[in-house]
Amino acid sequence: MPLTNTQIQKAKPADKPIKLADEKGLYLLITPGGSKLWRFKYRYDGKEKLMSLGAYPDVSLADARDKRDTARKERAAQVDPMAKRMDERRARKIAAEHSFATVAGLWWANWKAARSPRHADDVMRRLKADVYPAIGARPISEIEAPELVRMAKAI
């Protein structure tokens, strides 16, 4: 029988972790410390996998079911939901590491050695004032030439 919000709210921690089953692999794990954590258990390539969906009440019962249903659809399409999540996280990390601001900072660090300190500081100040607000946080691979032209005309 599926969980209800009343059952979740009334559930108390015990000496050992408690699992309150919902349906279709979704359950609420109640830790001895009192945390209530949503988990989705599924099988992929013959192996049992576990996916964290968030903490209750930040993630409501309805939200947890929506996330479970999304993961089940991915699983039905022969995609491992956890592998997909890790790939997305890795892509965000790479994008952040290769933002325009990061690459420009590395360039500036090498470039400034052959320049006067005043000139190097002026260039960095102009980057921070004019360029970084426009494209600094964007991944360098996503920046297109027309954007650079618009930014240069605005400056």
Side-chain angles (χ1 to χ4, degrees):
M1 190 161 194
L3 280 173
T4 64
N5 277 320
T6 306
Q7 287 175 311
I8 295 169
Q9 290 170 355
K10 287 183 179 180
K12 302 293 179 205
D15 294 339
K16 294 183 179 180
I18 301 170
K19 292 181 182 179
L20 298 179
D22 185 49
E23 59 182 354
K24 300 177 185 171
L26 179 67
Y27 67 89
L28 185 70
L29 177 69
I30 303 172
T31 65
S35 298
K36 296 179 180 180
L37 308 169
W38 291 110
R39 300 287 190 253
F40 172 58
K41 185 167 44 171
Y42 67 98
R43 295 186 79 74
Y44 188 79
D45 283 340
K47 295 180 184 176
E48 186 175 291
K49 299 216 174 183
L50 191 61
M51 184 176 188
S52 174
L53 302 178
Y56 180 86
D58 296 337
V59 177
S60 68
L61 175 59
D63 292 340
R65 286 178 177 161
D66 288 343
K67 289 181 178 187
R68 176 212 51 208
D69 291 342
T70 302
R72 284 177 55 89
K73 286 177 186 173
E74 291 171 355
R75 176 61 197 96
Q78 302 300 318
V79 175
D80 182 358
M82 277 304 295
K84 181 180 175 188
R85 179 190 281 181
M86 290 183 342
D87 290 344
E88 290 170 353
R89 187 176 296 153
R90 197 174 301 118
R92 282 193 307 270
K93 183 179 177 188
I94 289 171
E97 290 173 352
H98 293 94
S99 70
F100 181 85
T102 305
V103 173
L106 292 172
W107 165 81
W108 183 81
N110 288 327
W111 174 86
K112 74 175 183 170
R115 307 303 185 268
S116 71
R118 181 176 173 193
H119 180 59
D121 290 343
D122 284 346
V123 169
M124 180 51 78
R125 184 178 43 76
R126 288 180 184 144
L127 281 172
K128 288 179 179 178
D130 300 325
V131 180
Y132 288 178
I135 60 172
R138 304 251 329 267
I140 197 127
S141 61
E142 293 180 6
I143 299 172
E144 308 248 340
E147 294 174 87
L148 297 174
V149 171
R150 276 194 305 272
M151 182 190 62
K153 284 181 178 180
I155 294 170

